[in-house]
Amino acid sequence: MLCGGASNAKPADNEVKQLCDEMRPACEEHASKKFDVFEPVEYKQQVVAGMNYYVKVRIDNENHIHIRVYQKLPCYGGSKHLHGFKHPHEGGNGPIEAFEAHLNLDDEC
């Protein structure tokens, strides 16, 4: 992993699956819909003042979304926050890439 850069894409592991389970309600609220499927496929990480996770998530047989989750450092509580969301038509079906935060769904961030 490059210092400040995102890692290479990796298959989703149990940690990322748990992260996605925690973020699912916020994603469904943002999308204004319930997803029948919410299965992480692959992800990238970026070390910042905490950790950014960029995750490609399957939401049905043909479509994916990309989510950006920021996790605070343990000394600040380690909480996780949804900071970005790409719908399928916004590039969610493409390869997972780092993208700018555009959501601030939690005032503590």
Side-chain angles (χ1 to χ4, degrees), residues 58-99:
R58 185 171 70 87
I59 57 168
D60 64 31
N61 287 336
E62 298 177 11
N63 291 299
H64 297 80
I65 59 171
H66 291 183
I67 62 172
R68 176 184 169 145
V69 177
Y70 171 68
Q71 183 174 14
K72 292 182 177 183
L73 291 168
C75 62
Y76 295 113
S79 58
K80 301 169 187 122
H81 307 272
L82 181 65
H83 274 194
F85 185 103
K86 285 187 178 181
H87 293 273
H89 68 276
E90 297 173 320
N93 283 327
I96 188 71
E97 297 293 340
F99 61 97

Side-chain angles (χ1 to χ4, degrees), residues 5-96:
S7 69
N8 292 327
K10 300 175 262 194
D13 57 19
N14 287 335
E15 179 184 356
V16 171
K17 289 176 185 176
Q18 181 179 349
L19 175 78
C20 287
D21 287 344
E22 293 175 36
M23 293 296 111
R24 184 175 183 161
C27 291
E28 289 177 338
E29 181 178 336
H30 177 73
S32 299
K33 69 181 277 183
K34 297 281 185 189
F35 299 115
D36 293 332
V37 177
F38 200 79
E39 180 182 316
V41 177
E42 63 180 353
Y43 73 103
K44 290 185 175 190
Q45 292 175 288
Q46 180 184 29
V47 176
V48 291
M51 182 72 74
N52 285 324
Y53 293 88
Y54 304 95
V55 187
K56 184 174 187 172
V57 181
R58 185 171 70 87
I59 57 168
D60 64 31
N61 287 336
E62 298 177 11
N63 291 299
H64 297 80
I65 59 171
H66 291 183
I67 62 172
R68 176 184 169 145
V69 177
Y70 171 68
Q71 183 174 14
K72 292 182 177 183
L73 291 168
C75 62
Y76 295 113
S79 58
K80 301 169 187 122
H81 307 272
L82 181 65
H83 274 194
F85 185 103
K86 285 187 178 181
H87 293 273
H89 68 276
E90 297 173 320
N93 283 327
I96 188 71

